[in-house]
Amino acid sequence: MAATQPARPGTTVSQIRAQLQAARGALREAYLRRARPHALLRGHSNLVDRIIKAIWRESQPAAGAALLATGGYGRAELFPFSDIDVLILLAREPSSDERSRLEFLVGQLWDVGLEVGHSVRTIAACLAAAEADITVRTTLLEARFLAGSRTLHRKLEAALHQALDPASFYKAKKLEQEQRHAKHQDTPYSLEPNLKEAPGGLRDLHVIQWIARAAGIGSGWRDLETSGLIQHDEMRQLSRSESVLQNLRIRLHYLAGRREDRLVFDLQNALADQLGDSETPTRRASEVMMQRYYRTAKTITQLNTILMQNLGARLFPKSEVELQPLNERFRARGELLEACDEELFEREPLAVLESFLLMQQHHELQGMTAPTLRALWRGRRRIDSRFRRDPVARLMFLQ
């Protein structure tokens, strides 16, 4: 559409701003008619790409420089009101004239209506910042070329690849995730959860993709399936869960008219209405919507745990871990609980409760192995009304 082709030569700032607003409005209307999260995020990224590239070509701020998209914009996942992060990569320290032109470039981007978060660095400065800050290291990992010198961008990629230690990166991202979860009380069941940062949120998916990319496995869910880190049904669950959260976050941004990543009470009813959720005799429409979110967050939490274990095993191959039998059905593999038979939970549903009882009784256990978590996930379907009436199950639950 004509509105998505702004910034032709001779176009004024006010014209570009009007074209940007019209194009964003068209993307919004198309999305509300047919909600396709991936299409909206990529479409918005493509729109911003065209504007930024055109302004860069007009300004030519520094000789031999490159313009890169970073963050969510680098992944071509640009939400309606998210920041637009860019890196201006320089071949050398800028002259005073180039500094002025760079400042003018950034000012123009803001003037046309792009809320740009920018950094200006040489390759050496990028490497130093990445060494000092895991967030910068992560941002650079998924930097995407926009304009300028491709050669300079390739040099940055080569330097980053040489400096990156996948094992250290894994440890840093795992610690970062644990700290982030702690800020959100280590639960995906907050009354006003943050779709991006809370346990079971989008960031838990990003962490997996970042580590996989750093390890040379790839960043797509199919790449993880091909590598044997996840199974086909898990790949499909990850993709569906990601779409659910992206849809909720996009709609939140539009409803709030600004960046809003929390499912705040004030917007839950309007969001449920947009999603077509209906009130039931026992639940409000907003409660129906929130229950769907909690199921999605639980799925992501479960799969994140499995994938972090599998990635850790891939990056830190160890000698055989000591096995300690706990009973005829379970054993300890190091600090993790493991079912002796992966079909145990489907064959003996009471073992579901027994696994959690053992975790309470053996404080040295820090979690469950990935195969046991997978088996537990499959066995959840055996928890039915008959199981709940079982007096042995009730007694074990009380224990």
Side-chain angles (χ1 to χ4, degrees):
M1 76 193 114
T4 63
Q5 303 293 337
R8 293 184 297 274
T11 307
T12 65
V13 167
S14 60
Q15 288 173 325
I16 297 173
R17 188 179 186 93
Q19 290 170 357
L20 173 62
Q21 290 174 344
R24 280 175 161 170
L27 286 170
R28 180 180 184 275
E29 292 304 314
Y31 181 79
L32 294 178
R33 283 195 303 271
R34 184 184 178 192
R36 295 188 298 163
H38 292 288
L40 182 281
L41 299 177
R42 184 166 292 277
H44 190 206
S45 295
N46 290 342
L47 169 64
V48 173
D49 282 357
R50 287 191 288 272
I51 295 173
I52 289 182
K53 288 177 182 180
I55 294 176
W56 175 273
R57 285 194 301 268
E58 287 288 307
S59 63
Q60 292 295 318
L67 181 66
L68 310 179
T70 60
Y73 181 36
R75 294 191 301 274
E77 294 179 2
L78 192 56
F79 285 83
F81 289 94
S82 288
D83 291 338
I84 299 163
D85 295 321
V86 297
L87 166 65
I88 300 171
L89 184 64
L90 301 179
R92 51 174 172 70
E93 291 298 325
S95 65
S96 58
D97 178 60
E98 286 173 333
R99 286 185 187 277
S100 298
R101 281 188 281 160
L102 288 167
E103 290 172 3
F104 179 75
L105 167 72
V106 174
Q108 271 203 314
L109 294 175
W110 276 87
D111 288 343
V112 301
L114 298 177
E115 296 186 358
V116 172
H118 75 284
S119 57
V120 182
R121 294 190 178 105
T122 62
I123 290 177
C126 286
L127 294 175
E131 178 67 25
D133 188 340
I134 184 63
T135 302
V136 175
R137 204 179 323 167
T138 306
T139 296
L140 293 173
L141 187 66
E142 53 188 1
R144 177 170 59 89
F145 178 82
L146 290 175
S149 172
R150 287 187 180 274
T151 300
L152 188 63
H153 176 227
R154 292 192 190 103
K155 286 181 179 178
L156 173 65
E157 286 185 315
L160 288 170
H161 177 73
Q162 186 175 6
L164 181 63
D165 176 9
S168 296
F169 185 79
Y170 171 90
K171 289 179 180 178
K173 297 311 290 186
K174 186 172 185 290
L175 175 61
E176 187 181 63
Q177 176 173 280
E178 291 168 355
Q179 292 171 338
R180 174 171 50 82
H181 285 181
K183 290 180 181 178
H184 294 270
Q185 290 73 53
D186 286 308
T187 177
Y189 303 118
S190 167
L191 295 178
E192 293 183 304
N194 188 304
L195 294 173
K196 182 180 176 183
E197 302 290 344
L202 285 165
R203 191 59 87 210
D204 281 6
L205 299 178
H206 297 156
V207 167
I208 296 299
Q209 293 169 331
W210 291 330
I211 295 172
R213 186 192 290 264
I217 295 168
S219 58
W221 303 129
R222 290 190 184 277
D223 296 330
L224 272 66
E225 181 190 4
T226 301
S227 70
L229 288 168
I230 53 174
Q231 299 170 351
H232 181 68
D233 62 329
E234 293 169 340
M235 183 273 292
R236 294 182 62 188
Q237 285 178 323
L238 281 167
S239 183
R240 283 196 300 266
S241 298
E242 182 179 51
S243 292
V244 169
L245 293 192
Q246 287 174 339
N247 183 33
L248 287 170
R249 192 179 179 206
I250 290 167
R251 290 178 182 276
L252 268 179
H253 279 210
Y254 283 141
L255 283 169
R258 56 182 171 79
R259 175 173 175 169
E260 177 57 84
D261 296 334
R262 295 169 305 136
L263 281 168
V264 293
F265 292 129
D266 290 348
L267 296 177
Q268 287 180 12
N269 287 330
L271 189 55
D273 183 60
Q274 275 198 11
L275 294 170
D277 291 318
S278 303
E279 187 174 325
T280 72
T282 58
R283 291 180 296 171
R284 296 190 297 270
S286 60
E287 292 175 319
V288 174
M289 183 268 295
M290 289 301 295
Q291 285 197 338
R292 184 167 58 251
Y293 163 77
Y294 291 137
R295 286 194 295 270
T296 300
K298 182 174 71 173
T299 297
I300 291 174
T301 300
Q302 183 84 15
L303 292 173
N304 172 274
T305 302
I306 290 171
L307 273 163
M308 289 297 283
Q309 279 195 32
N310 288 345
L311 284 164
R314 184 73 59 92
L315 290 168
F316 301 96
K318 298 177 181 178
S319 56
E320 189 64 30
V321 177
E322 181 183 357
L323 298 179
Q324 178 66 42
L326 300 177
N327 58 32
E328 65 274 16
R329 289 172 296 281
F330 293 94
R331 60 194 172 208
R333 180 177 290 274
E335 295 180 340
L336 301 175
L337 180 70
E338 183 173 71
C340 298
D341 178 2
E342 291 183 26
E343 303 302 318
L344 172 66
F345 301 117
E346 295 184 67
R347 189 177 63 250
E348 301 180 42
L350 282 172
V352 171
L353 289 176
E354 184 183 8
S355 68
F356 290 102
L357 183 58
L358 286 169
M359 289 286 293
Q360 286 186 319
Q361 293 172 340
H362 296 268
H363 299 295
E364 70 277 10
L365 295 174
Q366 301 299 310
M368 300 183 186
T369 64
T372 300
L373 285 169
R374 280 191 172 118
L376 192 63
W377 187 250
R378 292 193 303 270
R380 74 191 187 282
R381 300 183 183 90
R382 297 299 306 276
I383 308 300
D384 52 19
S385 56
R386 180 180 177 182
F387 179 91
R388 295 184 184 96
R389 291 194 300 268
D390 186 330
V392 178
R394 291 184 175 190
L395 180 61
M396 191 174 291
F397 177 75
L398 290 175
Q399 286 180 282

